[in-house]
Amino acid sequence: MQKGQMLYEGKAKKIFRTDDENIYWVVYKDDATAFNGAKKGQVANKGLLNNKISSLFFKMLKKEGIDNHFIENISENEQLIKKVEIINVEVVVRNVATGSLVKRLGFTEGEELSEPIVEFYYKNDALNDPFINEDHIKILKLADPGQVQQMREQGLRVNTVLKRFMEQLGIILVDFKLEFGVDSEGKVLLADEISPDTCRFWDIKTQEKLDKDRFRQDLGGVEEAYQEILKRLEAKI
Ligand code: C5P
């Protein structure tokens, strides 16, 4: 497989074409950003860690019947994925109140939610990824109502599987963000990445944060936290 022209450079990844029109080549970067790029830094080995962690999650989800764009790893920080047209909606699922839920709606920090909450955000840097509802998504033509329903259902299925899986590793799945794309057959397919950049993970015993909040909140030990997630995953899978 040959790496072709770069199609897109995001905050954490670069996407390239390949000689197969249905396959893209992803390079995970060490760059770290938060607050829509307002805070920037580098985390040693982040590309390698997130590539490995995300691949393990995608493989596990596939085994559990949740299809996704992942094909295979090709190096420590690169993977091949199925080509999809990304839907510009970020799907957030929450089990425990923290982050913007506490800031915006006054939930109590650390409060366990009686049931998972699904939220949609408009993936648009210029607008700062605002909170949107299904009517906005329809009128903005980001996705049709059937696709929104599928994103919601898949988000909740990922939550059920991932939450149970992480509990076995001694980790609380606090919340996470997913992205979806439409594949060549028109199917809504789970895409992007699932990693400590896009999920909040708290240690069950110590409540220690093992995710990107360590970078956002200048807590230190970012690389070590990502290493800890990978170590527990590799011990289990
Ligand atoms: O900041 P907020 O509480 O809304 O984040 C909810 C979840 O979505 C967190 O796990 C966070 O890491 C993730 N997220 C993300 N990318 C964004 C916004 C949030 O991965 N642009």
Side-chain angles (χ1 to χ4, degrees):
M1 176 91 24
Q2 290 287 318
K3 186 155 98 181
Q5 176 206 358
M6 187 170 79
L7 283 172
Y8 169 81
E9 177 162 10
K11 297 181 198 109
K13 298 185 288 297
K14 292 181 193 171
I15 315 274
F16 296 83
R17 273 192 220 282
T18 66
D19 43 0
D20 183 328
E21 63 167 345
N22 290 312
I23 297 178
Y24 285 163
W25 182 304
V26 186
V27 178
Y28 278 68
K29 308 195 294 183
D30 289 343
D31 298 348
T33 65
F35 315 117
N36 193 22
K39 180 180 167 94
K40 290 195 177 77
Q42 286 252 319
V43 174
N45 296 315
K46 186 167 84 78
L48 174 159
L49 289 162
N50 278 354
N51 180 45
K52 289 190 177 171
I53 293 170
S54 204
S55 306
L56 288 171
F57 281 141
F58 279 135
K59 278 189 227 169
M60 182 275 290
L61 289 171
K62 179 102 188 224
K63 251 198 223 155
E64 296 289 331
I66 302 175
D67 200 9
N68 56 73
H69 74 165
F70 178 76
I71 300 174
E72 64 173 341
N73 270 312
I74 38 174
S75 81
E76 287 207 311
N77 68 334
E78 294 168 297
Q79 58 181 251
L80 296 179
I81 57 167
K82 268 191 218 158
K83 173 186 169 178
V84 294
E85 194 72 46
I86 286 288
I87 297 173
N88 283 321
V89 172
E90 296 188 344
V91 179
V92 168
V93 184
R94 303 178 184 271
N95 298 304
V96 176
T98 189
S100 68
L101 193 66
V102 169
K103 276 202 208 100
R104 206 181 41 238
L105 297 177
F107 279 79
T108 305
E109 174 70 28
E111 175 186 344
E112 200 179 324
L113 303 170
S114 54
E115 53 188 286
I117 295 177
V118 180
E119 299 174 344
F120 301 110
Y121 292 85
Y122 185 8
K123 188 171 149 67
N124 183 319
D125 283 344
L127 296 175
N128 244 328
D129 297 344
F131 190 59
I132 50 174
N133 69 23
E134 301 186 41
D135 287 348
H136 299 127
I137 294 174
K138 188 164 101 186
I139 308 285
L140 285 167
K141 296 194 166 53
L142 303 177
D144 64 43
Q147 292 172 325
V148 174
Q149 184 59 22
Q150 285 183 53
M151 290 194 285
R152 188 184 155 78
E153 279 168 12
Q154 286 197 49
L156 287 170
R157 280 175 62 210
V158 170
N159 186 48
T160 304
V161 171
L162 199 56
K163 186 167 177 272
R164 196 183 319 127
F165 182 78
M166 294 313 282
E167 268 163 18
Q168 293 166 20
L169 310 185
I171 289 166
I172 302 167
L173 177 64
V174 173
D175 57 30
F176 58 95
K177 182 259 315 183
L178 300 175
E179 293 185 26
F180 294 87
V182 180
D183 72 8
S184 55
E185 287 144 28
K187 194 170 91 173
V188 173
L189 193 66
L190 177 61
D192 194 51
E193 70 178 276
I194 303 178
S195 73
D197 269 10
T198 62
C199 303
R200 286 194 174 101
F201 297 130
W202 293 353
D203 183 87
I204 286 179
K205 282 200 200 117
T206 64
Q207 304 285 302
E208 192 190 357
K209 296 180 202 294
L210 298 170
D211 57 60
K212 192 168 150 185
D213 272 353
R214 302 203 71 85
F215 173 74
R216 294 188 185 101
Q217 300 169 9
D218 291 321
L219 300 176
V222 187
E223 185 195 348
E224 292 75 9
Y226 286 42
Q227 293 275 13
E228 179 65 24
I229 295 291
L230 180 62
K231 192 180 95 189
R232 292 197 205 183
L233 274 172
E234 284 181 335
K236 169 86 182 121
I237 291 183

